[in-house]
Amino acid sequence: MNATDISLWRQPPAELALSDNRVDVWLISLVQRELVDGSFADCLSSFEKERAARFKFDKHRRLYVAAHVAVRSILSRYLRAAPAKLQFVDGVNGKPSLTGEFAGSGLQFNLSHSHEMALVGVTRGHDIGVDIEWIKDDYGFDEVAERFFTAKEVADMRALPPHLQRQAFFKCWTSKEAFVKAKGTGLSGKLDEVKITLTDNQLVRIHADVPGWSLSELIPGNGYEAAVVVAGGSLPVNCYGWPPFY
């Protein structure tokens, strides 16, 4: 498990060329009005536009549009294609992948969004899952932990100082969700176990020992927790902010 410091989130290079031995993760602010109100939104498919229109509240519609515009914009840079040309198909448990002329590109990706932020993970030739969660102060995490965590995970979480238990829950939850999304399984199945530890300088860390998969803890800051899981051994993770994030 690797922890990515927030200081490493940076602007992407002008030219993106993704090799088989690295992971790119993008942190996106979904409150960028230009992603919704500008010409960017024209790149969405008719299906995406229809789905956006079904949201009851305008806020939720705008967040959906911003996230999907960002995914198309990011992937288009790797594929050297117009965002509107990209086509997607949902696989088992709704995990999307590229189809059409870009199906053979080997590009794998995953999207997660929570509150006002989104995370997109991109690899080539590796299954990938990402998850980002906003740490809600009023969220009843104990009940959720009892339902979805193993007995050891619950015990490890409750062994921490009380003021760190909520953060530990969200770190554990994002890691388990990233595994679920990388494997394309659902929450109804058995969730992979992760380990919750406390460093000497009172930092909560998450580890996992799952054969064939690697977990990297991400630190998006601003009250969020995040993680990325990739098939295969540990790969270097590049962390980018999606323009105009900064």
Side-chain angles (χ1 to χ4, degrees):
M1 191 282 304
N2 301 310
T4 304
D5 188 88
I6 189 173
S7 64
L8 298 181
W9 297 91
R10 59 190 187 276
Q11 291 280 16
E15 295 293 327
L16 288 171
L18 189 63
S19 63
D20 294 340
N21 60 353
R22 84 167 202 253
V23 179
D24 287 353
V25 181
W26 299 78
L27 186 63
I28 304 148
S29 170
L30 297 180
V31 295
Q32 302 173 67
R33 297 191 66 87
E34 52 266 58
L35 290 179
V36 179
D37 297 332
S39 60
F40 282 113
D42 293 338
C43 73
L44 297 183
S45 68
S46 58
F47 173 80
E48 289 168 318
K49 291 176 181 177
E50 290 169 4
R51 185 173 179 185
R54 290 198 296 267
F55 282 96
K56 181 178 180 180
F57 298 106
D58 185 64
K59 175 183 177 180
H60 297 155
R61 179 189 66 81
R62 298 176 70 86
L63 294 176
Y64 172 88
V65 169
H68 287 259
V69 166
V71 168
R72 285 180 172 273
S73 299
I74 289 168
L75 296 182
S76 70
R77 293 187 61 178
Y78 295 101
L79 297 168
R80 308 291 193 271
K85 291 188 65 176
L86 305 188
Q87 299 176 33
F88 305 99
V89 61
D90 286 344
V92 179
N93 291 304
K95 184 178 182 181
S97 60
L98 287 162
T99 189
E101 62 182 291
F102 301 110
S105 66
L107 206 67
Q108 304 288 321
F109 71 96
N110 197 231
L111 164 69
S112 175
H113 51 87
S114 178
H115 194 45
E116 295 179 345
M117 300 296 291
L119 198 69
V120 175
V122 187
T123 69
R124 191 179 297 279
H126 299 270
D127 288 325
I128 185 171
V130 298
D131 192 58
I132 185 169
E133 299 288 344
W134 180 46
I135 302 177
K136 302 175 185 176
D137 292 335
D138 59 350
Y139 188 70
F141 66 92
D142 261 329
E143 294 180 6
V144 179
E146 286 284 355
R147 180 179 178 186
F148 291 105
F149 289 9
T150 66
K152 186 175 188 310
E153 289 168 343
V154 173
D156 287 346
M157 182 185 73
R158 290 177 175 167
L160 296 173
H163 70 283
L164 294 177
Q165 290 181 18
R166 184 176 300 274
Q167 181 191 43
F169 166 82
F170 280 99
K171 284 179 177 288
C172 187
W173 182 256
T174 54
S175 298
K176 294 165 88 67
E177 277 273 20
F179 271 112
V180 165
K181 297 179 73 177
K183 295 180 176 183
T185 59
L187 281 175
S188 59
K190 182 179 179 181
L191 302 183
D192 291 289
E193 184 173 76
V194 300
K195 301 173 184 176
I196 305 171
T197 61
L198 187 65
T199 66
D200 291 340
N201 53 347
Q202 298 294 292
L203 295 176
V204 178
R205 288 289 178 255
I206 303 296
H207 308 266
D209 184 15
V210 180
W213 299 88
S214 63
L215 165 69
S216 292
E217 177 187 350
L218 305 171
I219 307 176
N222 298 318
Y224 291 83
E225 295 292 346
V228 55
V229 168
V230 182
S234 180
L235 298 175
V237 179
N238 297 314
C239 296
Y240 300 128
W242 179 243
F245 178 66
Y246 295 105

